[in-house]
Amino acid sequence: MKNTIRAVLLAGLAVLSLTLSSARAEDSVPASRLDQVLKAGKLRICMTGDYRPFTYYRPDQTFEGMDVELGQALAKSLGVEAQFVKTTWSTLMNDFIAQCDIAMGGVSITLDRARKAAFSEPTMVDGKAPIIRCADKDKFRNFDMIDQPGTRAIVNPGGTNERFARARYKRATLLLHPDNVTIFQQIVDGKADVMVTDASETLWQSKLHPELCPVTPDQPLQFAEKAYLLPRGDVAFKAYVDTWLHLAKATGEYQQIFDKWLK
């Protein structure tokens, strides 16, 4: 009888020990950003607001663009409000880590960024291409013809455009222009000759500025992919964003928004 009671007590102690260990393990696991977003009722989205057609900060202090609409769709899928946080390319990573749950707006996948954050599945394949005045099409038919003494190559600081420019230009004069919204007007006005940016942006800007023409945007100078910036190590949140993106593409929701802004 004593042996039976002892066995029952030992079994009970073992179960209690396992329960307490499981509770401690659960307490030690940090909550996913997914849980935090749902609890807060808002999805904080960092974006620069200076990169059409992905994001543009209007004079009335509201955002518009392809990734603005996709950010709103992601927030809606979570049943929360989309809250946009304005940043710059130079401060994007620090602002994202300190203030946001996700960064959108034409963000390119780079190893530098991957050291500090995670990425969603790629949203699109893109690459660098020059945009010039249409009057200079014969003069600047390819990058070798562009990278010559006397060519004024303009670039916005702090992002992949500047990194490309500093790595690839050997002869042209590099001009830094801090405002990515007005930078293309500099080319139209003859204050610069060329800018190399994402091929998708050259197509958009040629619609806004008929005086400007992309140079071989279908044959980019550099392979690149765009994605959404996510907290590093948060498996649950990344899984949700990737699943939402997959379904948005499968149902045609993504393509509908894409066509609105890039076709």
Side-chain angles (χ1 to χ4, degrees):
M1 184 66 176
K2 289 181 179 180
N3 289 337
T4 302
I5 294 173
R6 184 181 180 187
V8 171
L9 288 174
L10 289 174
L13 288 172
V15 171
L16 178 61
S17 177
L18 288 173
T19 302
L20 291 174
S21 297
S22 177
R24 284 195 297 269
E26 289 179 0
D27 289 342
S28 66
V29 176
S32 168
R33 188 65 59 90
L34 176 61
D35 302 315
Q36 296 172 15
V37 167
L38 293 172
K39 183 177 180 180
K42 62 184 178 183
L43 178 69
R44 301 169 301 170
I45 305 171
C46 271
M47 54 175 51
T48 61
D50 66 352
Y51 189 12
R52 286 174 165 171
F54 301 100
T55 173
Y56 174 61
Y57 192 62
R58 295 165 52 89
D60 63 2
Q61 300 184 336
T62 61
F63 284 90
E64 69 175 15
M66 175 179 164
D67 275 349
V68 176
E69 293 192 19
L70 287 167
Q72 291 168 335
L74 173 58
K76 183 179 179 181
S77 76
L78 288 161
V80 302
E81 175 190 358
Q83 183 180 88
F84 295 99
V85 179
K86 192 175 187 308
T87 183
T88 67
W89 291 112
S90 299
T91 62
L92 173 63
M93 184 59 70
N94 289 338
D95 288 343
F96 163 68
I97 292 173
Q99 303 180 52
C100 295
D101 305 305
I102 187 171
M104 305 173 71
V107 179
S108 297
I109 297 176
T110 68
L111 292 176
D112 287 343
R113 289 169 178 160
R115 292 189 187 103
K116 298 180 179 180
F119 286 99
S120 69
E121 288 297 310
T123 57
M124 63 182 293
V125 175
D126 207 351
K128 300 298 181 187
I131 187 168
I132 61 173
R133 286 182 296 277
C134 295
D136 291 334
K137 283 192 298 184
D138 293 334
K139 181 181 179 181
F140 297 135
R141 292 195 300 272
N142 55 53
F143 187 77
D144 288 338
M145 296 177 71
I146 290 170
D147 188 21
Q148 295 296 328
T151 300
R152 298 163 300 169
I154 197 166
V155 66
N156 58 311
T160 57
N161 289 341
E162 183 182 8
R163 286 195 286 276
F164 176 91
R166 293 195 181 280
R168 293 290 299 272
Y169 283 119
K170 305 301 180 185
R171 304 176 186 86
T173 300
L174 193 61
L175 306 176
L176 291 180
H177 186 77
D179 185 2
N180 201 36
V181 174
T182 61
I183 196 168
F184 298 95
Q185 190 63 40
Q186 298 292 304
I187 305 174
V188 173
D189 294 342
K191 297 177 181 178
D193 300 309
V194 61
M195 179 179 179
V196 173
T197 186
D198 293 335
S200 55
E201 187 177 29
T202 67
L203 296 172
W204 173 260
Q205 290 296 333
S206 66
K207 292 181 179 181
L208 296 180
H209 305 284
E211 306 95 330
L212 300 181
C213 287
V215 178
T216 60
D218 56 337
Q219 300 173 15
L221 300 171
Q222 179 190 61
F223 172 81
E225 290 178 313
K226 297 192 182 304
Y228 303 140
L229 205 60
L230 300 170
R232 186 173 65 178
D234 194 329
V235 176
F237 190 41
K238 173 175 165 55
Y240 183 88
V241 173
D242 287 345
T243 301
W244 165 80
L245 182 60
H246 170 75
L247 293 174
K249 289 184 175 183
T251 60
E253 180 183 21
Y254 178 92
Q255 192 63 45
Q256 183 179 7
I257 296 173
F258 179 95
D259 291 346
K260 174 182 175 180
W261 292 99
L262 279 171
K263 286 282 182 79

